[in-house]
Amino acid sequence: MMRTRPLKVALLGCGVVGSEVARIMTTHADDLAQRVGAPVELAGIAVRRTGRARAGVPEELITTDATALVKRGDIDVVIEVIGGIEPARGLITTAFEHGASVVSANKALLAQDGAALHAAAGQHGADLYYEAAVAGAIPLVRPLRESLAGDKVNRVLGIVNGTTNFILDKMDSSGAGYSEALDEATALGYAEADPTADVEGFDAAAKAAILAGIAFHTRVRLDDVYREGMTEVTAADFASAKRMGCTIKLLAICERAADGRSVTARVHPAMIPLSHPLASVREAYNAVFIEAEAAGQLMFYGPGAGGSPTASAVLGDLVAVCRNKLAESTGPGESAYTRLPVSPMGDVVTRYHISLDVADKPGVLAQVATVFAGHGVSIDTVRQQGKDGEASLVVVTHRAADAALSATVEALRALETVRGVASIMRVEGE
């Protein structure tokens, strides 16, 4: 039997995602009620400024006083889609203090202060759900937190930013340079006017911190994630990748160490074989590849951003939280029992593709090989091309620690016959 008294929802933010959440809640109110077991009523919408037309959004619900809205004693759930650290953090904490559960899409805040927010939710017997914070409509948080709760996840490897994937895909498919591909992404609305958060890897790093924490049952903060942007990737890098049967993606990689005593989390461009499922992810799509002991290899794919996809994830969490409210229970909170340390990037072991500009003279290859051997880095393949006294030397290594490779590169720079290091890129997915 359906309860007649509605569950009341406060919406913080009414931009691209918030307005779509409001629209769906209004137009699909009957369906939501049937799925929850009670009417779900949008009780108020907090915005920074009034006076702007918002299609499909009831104007009578608009307010600029977000604090007063979350302090109302009749609010059951607060949806936070304003982003950033403050005032979002204070508003979420206030919501918990006043008995409301929270659904958030705020990856930056969760990556920085997820542990404190989970603690506040637990203290007040409230839920904190955030499926929309990681990859838009793609279900990742719930499968990791619930479906794979009985398994041991060893690796999470994914494309979690649509803007960078669009840019790299265009560079790969059309031969465009970085700036040209970025201009196209901006014109199509995939890139912001200031794309720094995307192209420098900040967005993906926040998502990696969230995914690593859930996957490995330990606390991983944004500061723990190694981050490298993709602005230095060139057409020459793609040409080298194609010769290796690879393409280039900006990857978020979270791994459990082989001995199980630590984890790593990192974001950087990498070459991946065309045979890997992630290599075929095109345009602005996202995909995440999960490796677990019992389940094996799983891949999640779909649109990772945009108003409608993100709103879908928000509303999925809303239904779950509302059901918990009716049952007078809460869903899973933070699981950080393993307390595994996060290893520095220097300990990460992977393969490398290094392109060197060298003098075209006898003995150069031998000098370079000696430097690699002296630092314990084994060479897999070497390709050399030379003309008019100058040459390029492309070295692909076997697996080596990042610290050893960094020392190798510094030693190479000191060689008189090495004119410069044109590019260094990791090789993943093998």
Side-chain angles (χ1 to χ4, degrees):
M1 182 177 179
M2 182 178 293
R3 192 181 82 166
T4 57
R5 183 169 65 82
L7 291 159
K8 294 192 176 184
V9 178
L11 176 61
L12 307 182
C14 199
V16 174
V17 176
S19 59
E20 188 66 9
V21 169
R23 185 192 67 78
I24 296 173
M25 287 188 66
T26 303
T27 57
H28 296 281
D30 291 342
D31 285 338
L32 288 174
Q34 291 295 328
R35 294 168 191 176
V36 168
V40 180
E41 176 186 321
L42 187 56
I45 305 172
V47 298
R48 290 177 182 173
R49 291 178 295 274
T50 59
R52 183 166 66 87
R54 297 175 172 87
V57 177
E59 284 298 319
E60 66 273 14
L61 298 180
I62 298 293
T63 178
T64 57
D65 194 342
T67 302
L69 179 59
V70 299
K71 283 184 175 181
R72 281 175 46 175
D74 62 338
I75 297 296
D76 296 289
V77 183
V78 170
I79 298 175
E80 182 271 310
V81 289
I82 56 178
I85 305 302
E86 292 293 355
R89 175 170 49 196
L91 291 169
I92 289 174
T93 303
T94 300
F96 290 145
E97 293 170 351
H98 287 77
S101 289
V102 172
V103 172
S104 176
N106 195 330
K107 53 188 169 287
L109 178 58
L110 288 158
Q112 178 173 306
D113 290 321
L117 294 177
H118 274 294
Q123 178 183 350
H124 296 284
D127 273 324
L128 174 61
Y129 276 50
Y130 43 89
E131 185 68 69
V134 177
I138 305 173
L140 280 173
V141 172
R142 196 165 297 145
L144 280 171
R145 194 161 67 169
E146 299 177 30
S147 303
L148 295 173
D151 207 340
K152 182 180 180 182
V153 175
N154 290 317
R155 196 172 196 230
V156 179
L157 172 74
I159 299 164
V160 295
N161 183 277
T163 300
T164 55
N165 199 58
F166 179 90
I167 293 170
L168 292 172
D169 182 47
K170 289 302 174 184
M171 292 177 69
D172 186 25
S173 61
S174 69
Y178 168 76
S179 297
E180 184 181 350
L182 174 59
D183 288 343
E184 184 176 353
T186 304
L188 292 172
Y190 292 125
E192 301 287 345
D194 180 1
T196 302
D198 295 322
V199 299
E200 294 296 348
F202 291 100
D203 175 86
K207 295 170 181 176
I210 295 169
L211 290 173
I214 300 171
F216 306 133
H217 302 277
T218 194
R219 287 179 177 169
V220 180
R221 288 171 49 89
L222 180 58
D223 292 344
D224 296 322
V225 182
Y226 172 83
R227 177 194 54 78
E228 184 181 319
M230 41 76 70
T231 57
E232 300 300 318
V233 177
T234 66
D237 291 326
F238 274 101
S240 293
K242 286 182 179 180
R243 283 192 287 268
M244 290 178 59
C246 293
T247 188
I248 299 171
K249 300 291 186 182
L250 184 75
L251 298 177
I253 306 169
C254 312
E255 293 179 303
R256 188 191 300 268
D259 62 8
R261 296 179 181 176
S262 64
V263 299
T264 59
R266 50 198 166 102
V267 168
H268 54 72
M271 295 182 180
I272 58 172
L274 294 175
S275 58
H276 194 281
L278 291 178
S280 61
V281 179
R282 306 295 302 276
E283 300 284 333
Y285 278 77
N286 286 190
V288 176
F289 201 72
I290 295 174
E291 298 175 12
E293 283 197 356
Q297 297 178 332
L298 308 170
M299 182 166 162
F300 299 81
Y301 169 86
S308 293
T310 307
S312 172
V314 168
L315 289 162
D317 279 351
L318 175 64
V319 170
V321 169
C322 286
R323 287 171 176 169
N324 291 343
K325 281 282 185 180
L326 291 181
E328 298 182 346
S329 65
T330 56
E334 182 190 33
S335 175
Y337 73 93
T338 63
R339 296 181 175 85
L340 295 173
V342 183
S343 296
M345 187 63 191
D347 293 346
V348 171
V349 175
T350 189
R351 296 180 68 202
Y352 293 86
H353 175 282
I354 303 111
S355 179
L356 304 172
D357 294 327
V358 299
D360 187 16
K361 59 170 52 175
V364 172
L365 180 56
Q367 289 181 350
V368 168
T370 298
V371 170
F372 276 90
H375 290 85
V377 179
S378 176
I379 294 175
D380 183 16
T381 63
V382 178
R383 186 178 72 255
Q384 184 173 7
Q385 293 178 324
K387 186 178 180 182
D388 299 329
E390 296 296 330
S392 64
L393 195 65
V394 176
V395 179
V396 179
T397 74
H398 288 289
R399 292 175 64 82
D402 189 85
L405 194 282
S406 296
T408 301
V409 170
E410 288 306 307
L412 289 170
R413 294 183 196 276
L415 293 176
E416 290 186 3
T417 51
V418 174
R419 311 295 194 213
V421 180
S423 69
I424 305 171
M425 192 167 296
R426 296 168 183 88
V427 183
E428 300 284 349
E430 295 185 322

